[in-house]
Amino acid sequence: MKQKIVIKVSMSSEKSRSKAMELVARADGVSSMGVTGNGKDQLEVVGDGVDTVCLVKCLRKKLGHADILKVEEVKDKKPEEKKPEEPKVVDLPPYYYPGYYYHHHHLPAPWW
């Protein structure tokens, strides 16, 4: 199940932001991530089978403070239902069997 996780992390400097992004990128199942929020203090992680608790524990261990704000399922957009295509009708000129119009030449009998 694909899910979107928003984690609030204490990232005061650019160095701590890049360290947090590196930790999240190494986690199993992560397909995309980004830094969001007004103070650039939230990580938005999207992935399939991501262990949220383990990820937050790892961030707490390396950066200090991390809280889970939101975990929600990401639903893929359903493709629009397509109507079955109607077969195309092509008008062709009538076909005449060529045998009716060709003159058959008689070959001479073999001499042997």
Side-chain angles (χ1 to χ4, degrees):
M1 167 179 75
K2 201 169 189 179
Q3 57 188 2
K4 178 175 141 182
I5 307 158
V6 180
I7 305 169
K8 185 170 183 165
V9 185
S10 60
M11 300 182 289
S12 56
S13 65
E14 193 62 40
K15 186 175 180 180
S16 61
R17 257 186 223 103
S18 65
K19 192 171 188 177
M21 294 283 279
E22 186 179 322
L23 288 169
V24 171
R26 283 195 218 154
D28 288 334
V30 174
S31 58
S32 68
M33 63 186 164
V35 178
T36 59
N38 292 338
K40 299 281 186 188
D41 61 346
Q42 294 178 7
L43 286 173
E44 189 174 286
V45 182
V46 178
D48 191 13
V50 179
D51 188 355
T52 309
V53 175
C54 183
L55 184 61
V56 170
K57 280 183 181 180
C58 184
L59 287 167
R60 283 180 184 160
K61 185 177 179 182
K62 298 288 183 180
L63 297 173
H65 184 76
D67 290 322
I68 301 170
L69 295 180
K70 182 170 44 171
V71 178
E72 60 184 18
E73 183 180 346
V74 176
K75 295 181 181 177
D76 293 331
K77 294 180 182 178
K78 292 181 181 177
E80 295 179 12
E81 293 181 20
K82 295 181 180 178
K83 294 185 233 176
E85 293 183 19
E86 296 178 13
K88 295 180 181 177
V89 178
V90 180
D91 289 332
L92 295 175
Y95 179 75
Y96 297 103
Y97 183 68
Y100 294 126
Y101 296 102
Y102 289 125
H103 181 23
H104 297 287
H105 296 286
H106 294 287
L107 298 175
W111 59 271
W112 61 98

